[in-house]
Amino acid sequence: MQKLEIVNVEFFKGICQLFEVFFHFVFETFAQQNSNSGGKGSPDPINYRLKTALSRIQQDCDQWIRAPSSSPASLNSAFAHTDITPMSPPSTNFGNTTGTSVGLKERCAGVDTISLVARILHRSKAHLQTMLLQNNGAVVEDFYVHLVDAVPDLIEHIHRTTARQLLHINGYVDRIANAKWEVKELGLEHNGYVDLLLGEFKHYKTRLAHGGIRKEVQDLLLEYGLKIVSQTLIEGLSRVKRCTDEGRALMSLDLQVLINGLQHFVSMNVKPHLQIVEAFIKAYYLPETEYVHWARAHPEYTKNQIVGLVNLVASMKGWKRKTRLEVLEKIE
């Protein structure tokens, strides 16, 4: 690729705006949670850097990203004449509840394309700084810090959204929360939701294998799938209202069976991805004086999840009402 010999600051700002429009289009097309998807779950939160980049783009390029040519209707019209997967009514999200790929190849192509552009921009940074001279260095640095450096966050968000679209476990939070945990004896059998969850993950792997994407991308999406399973388990367990010590042991049994089963579907070590679930289960046994410290030491759990755990422990262990309220107040 030939470098431009003459670059002035206005021309560079035009390049910045063009990249911003591209960044926004990739986000809108591939990173939005499809509300009609059979795999729909809680939308993944957008991290601070990505949120900042999107906010900046909306301020800088509002007239472009809201133009009629960028409307969903016109995009659908454009895609209606292209050969994309899955073969379904076109959508800017490429979402499809009956297809197996949810536009998987297109999503990966979008990731590869913006990743390539970001790499080229990084290689060009020193040249641009030289051409624009030192008095415009802040303009270049601002563009890279707030936009180009946010590309990995966009890519991660796309992959997480793709995994959530393809892994159909939205109803499992309630299945886990409503299982019978107030048991008096621990048997040898795990709960039925474990087998169903393993079946869903097997289907997920099959969808990836037949999606026409590279093996390394399949492995990456399998890893994101494990994270979603982990999040689902924690959310479900945090909503349990009644649980005995034996019921907590049953949770550990379920988790071990699940880990063993998932290991058959992926080459990576499953256990580290689900250690966060094991730690949440074991937190039930902490002394009441330890919960405030434990909550502060584990920011990976949401406030609602920790509150759910504390309320469960307080109920089952017979805490005084004052003690429970004091712990919750310090946590919140």
Side-chain angles (χ1 to χ4, degrees), residues 9-250:
V9 68
E10 294 305 318
F11 181 79
F12 177 72
K13 288 179 179 178
I15 293 175
C16 294
Q17 280 197 322
L18 183 61
F19 181 75
E20 286 176 333
V21 171
F22 176 45
F23 189 107
H24 182 268
F25 178 79
V26 171
F27 174 80
E28 286 290 311
T29 306
F30 301 116
Q32 298 278 55
Q33 188 78 40
N34 183 2
S35 61
N36 296 320
S37 170
K40 175 180 174 289
S42 301
D44 287 298
I46 299 175
N47 70 24
Y48 177 78
R49 187 162 61 174
L50 179 55
K51 190 179 297 184
T52 301
L54 293 169
S55 177
R56 174 192 172 117
I57 291 169
Q58 287 181 332
Q59 292 175 4
D60 292 350
C61 305
D62 184 70
Q63 60 177 320
W64 304 109
I65 62 180
R66 295 187 183 278
S69 60
S70 296
S71 67
S74 61
L75 286 173
N76 284 347
S77 176
F79 287 132
H81 301 289
T82 61
D83 184 17
I84 63 172
T85 57
M87 297 303 291
S88 63
S91 163
T92 55
N93 284 337
F94 297 97
N96 179 33
T97 58
T98 57
T100 60
S101 62
V102 199
L104 191 53
K105 289 172 68 175
E106 290 76 23
R107 289 172 180 270
C108 293
V111 165
D112 289 344
T113 304
I114 197 165
S115 178
L116 173 62
V117 173
R119 289 199 302 273
I120 293 172
L121 286 170
H122 275 298
R123 288 201 299 266
S124 305
K125 183 178 180 180
H127 176 67
L128 289 168
Q129 287 174 322
T130 301
M131 296 298 294
L132 291 171
L133 304 178
Q134 291 184 349
N135 57 333
N136 291 311
V139 177
V140 177
E141 192 64 26
D142 183 68
F143 170 65
Y144 278 87
V145 168
H146 292 104
L147 283 164
V148 182
D149 289 350
V151 168
D153 302 283
L154 173 60
I155 290 172
E156 179 182 358
H157 193 75
I158 291 172
H159 283 322
R160 291 176 70 90
T161 302
T162 300
R164 200 171 287 280
Q165 295 269 27
L166 285 169
L167 182 55
H168 300 167
I169 60 173
N170 185 36
Y172 281 81
V173 168
D174 290 335
R175 286 179 185 267
I176 295 165
N178 296 328
K180 186 177 180 182
W181 301 113
E182 198 173 9
V183 297
K184 295 182 179 180
E185 294 182 359
L186 176 63
L188 299 176
E189 290 296 320
H190 56 272
N191 276 305
Y193 75 83
V194 175
D195 297 318
L196 295 173
L197 197 52
L198 288 171
E200 294 290 359
F201 201 90
K202 182 179 180 180
H203 291 316
Y204 173 61
K205 182 180 180 180
T206 301
R207 293 182 186 107
L208 295 178
H210 291 85
I213 59 175
R214 301 190 307 275
K215 179 65 165 59
E216 58 266 31
V217 180
Q218 292 181 41
D219 290 340
L220 181 61
L221 289 172
L222 284 171
E223 185 174 355
Y224 280 111
L226 291 177
K227 292 178 181 178
I228 292 171
V229 169
S230 177
Q231 293 165 0
T232 301
L233 289 168
I234 293 168
E235 186 60 31
L237 295 175
S238 73
R239 298 185 188 185
V240 172
K241 302 301 182 185
R242 303 285 298 176
C243 175
T244 59
D245 286 358
E246 291 79 8
R248 214 65 182 179
L250 178 57

Side-chain angles (χ1 to χ4, degrees), residues 253-266:
L253 174 63
D254 286 354
L255 180 61
Q256 189 56 54
V257 173
L258 186 62
I259 290 172
N260 293 340
L262 289 171
Q263 195 62 70
H264 291 293
F265 302 131
V266 298

Side-chain angles (χ1 to χ4, degrees), residues 224-332:
Y224 280 111
L226 291 177
K227 292 178 181 178
I228 292 171
V229 169
S230 177
Q231 293 165 0
T232 301
L233 289 168
I234 293 168
E235 186 60 31
L237 295 175
S238 73
R239 298 185 188 185
V240 172
K241 302 301 182 185
R242 303 285 298 176
C243 175
T244 59
D245 286 358
E246 291 79 8
R248 214 65 182 179
L250 178 57
M251 292 178 185
S252 295
L253 174 63
D254 286 354
L255 180 61
Q256 189 56 54
V257 173
L258 186 62
I259 290 172
N260 293 340
L262 289 171
Q263 195 62 70
H264 291 293
F265 302 131
V266 298
S267 57
M268 68 199 76
N269 187 4
V270 172
K271 191 169 184 179
H273 294 281
L274 274 75
Q275 279 181 338
I276 185 175
V277 185
E278 183 179 12
F280 190 83
I281 293 172
K282 290 182 176 179
Y284 178 85
Y285 303 106
L286 290 172
E288 63 185 54
T289 55
E290 291 294 314
Y291 280 96
V292 174
H293 172 73
W294 182 85
R296 291 171 180 169
H298 290 83
E300 62 270 26
Y301 305 115
T302 67
K303 185 179 75 172
N304 286 341
Q305 289 168 351
I306 293 174
V307 168
L309 173 64
V310 170
N311 282 330
L312 171 66
V313 174
S315 174
M316 300 307 299
K317 302 293 185 180
W319 287 12
K320 293 180 180 179
R321 183 174 181 273
K322 181 181 178 182
T323 301
R324 180 178 67 85
L325 293 176
E326 286 177 350
V327 171
L328 291 176
E329 183 179 0
K330 290 177 181 177
I331 289 174
E332 296 179 359

